[in-house]
Amino acid sequence: MDNKQFAKMCKNTGILDKKLTTTDVDIIFTKNWDKTKKKINFKQFEQSIEDMAKKKGLTGGQLGDILIKAGGPTYSGTKTDNVKLHDDKSTYTGVYAKGGPTNVDKDHGNLANLLDRSEANVRGVKK
């Protein structure tokens, strides 16, 4: 778990208050973090929980129970609005009303569609 994920966990679980701020969480993470690695291991995570519990005036077990009851991470994003002219296919016009353009050739693999082999003079003018 890196610092960003650790801070997000603390924010999502609701353990941040006046006693434990995001700055405190960053300091605790940095104190327990092995500088040669980007992430903390489980032992360092447990030590960080103990340090946060001490800062809040709780035991490590009490804070652990709070974290477990909060559940997993929560993700939020934007939902798209309904756009009548895009989502309702009955409002389509032109080529798109008939199913849209195609990029598949009817005589695929046949050079006759691409080349004009009719008679021409030396300068390329057709007879």
Side-chain angles (χ1 to χ4, degrees):
M1 176 180 285
D2 62 5
N3 193 5
K4 179 181 174 184
Q5 292 169 331
F6 189 73
K8 182 174 173 50
M9 176 202 67
C10 294
K11 188 184 292 185
N12 286 345
T13 55
I15 63 172
L16 298 179
D17 55 11
K18 289 186 179 185
K19 291 182 183 178
L20 182 68
T21 64
T22 55
T23 305
D24 295 329
V25 169
D26 284 338
I27 291 169
I28 289 169
F29 181 88
T30 305
K31 184 175 87 172
N32 294 310
W33 170 50
D34 182 12
K35 308 303 185 260
T36 60
K37 304 211 177 357
K38 291 183 178 182
K39 300 179 179 186
I40 59 173
N41 59 26
F42 187 69
K43 189 173 184 179
Q44 294 165 338
F45 176 75
E46 286 179 328
Q47 184 59 46
S48 299
I49 298 298
E50 290 288 333
D51 292 345
M52 288 192 303
K54 190 185 303 179
K55 183 87 173 157
K56 285 184 69 76
L58 301 171
T59 65
Q62 290 172 328
L63 187 60
D65 289 340
I66 293 170
L67 294 174
I68 290 169
K69 287 179 185 173
T74 56
Y75 300 102
S76 62
T78 57
K79 275 197 129 176
T80 58
D81 291 333
N82 188 18
V83 180
K84 180 183 175 193
L85 295 176
H86 181 267
D87 297 333
D88 186 9
K89 292 189 178 192
S90 66
T91 60
Y92 285 7
T93 60
V95 171
Y96 296 99
K98 306 292 185 208
T102 179
N103 60 354
V104 180
D105 296 333
K106 292 181 181 174
D107 279 334
H108 183 66
N110 189 356
L111 291 178
N113 293 340
L114 301 174
L115 303 173
D116 183 10
R117 299 264 181 186
S118 61
E119 292 287 326
N121 65 12
V122 179
R123 294 188 179 153
V125 177
K126 292 185 182 189
K127 293 182 181 180

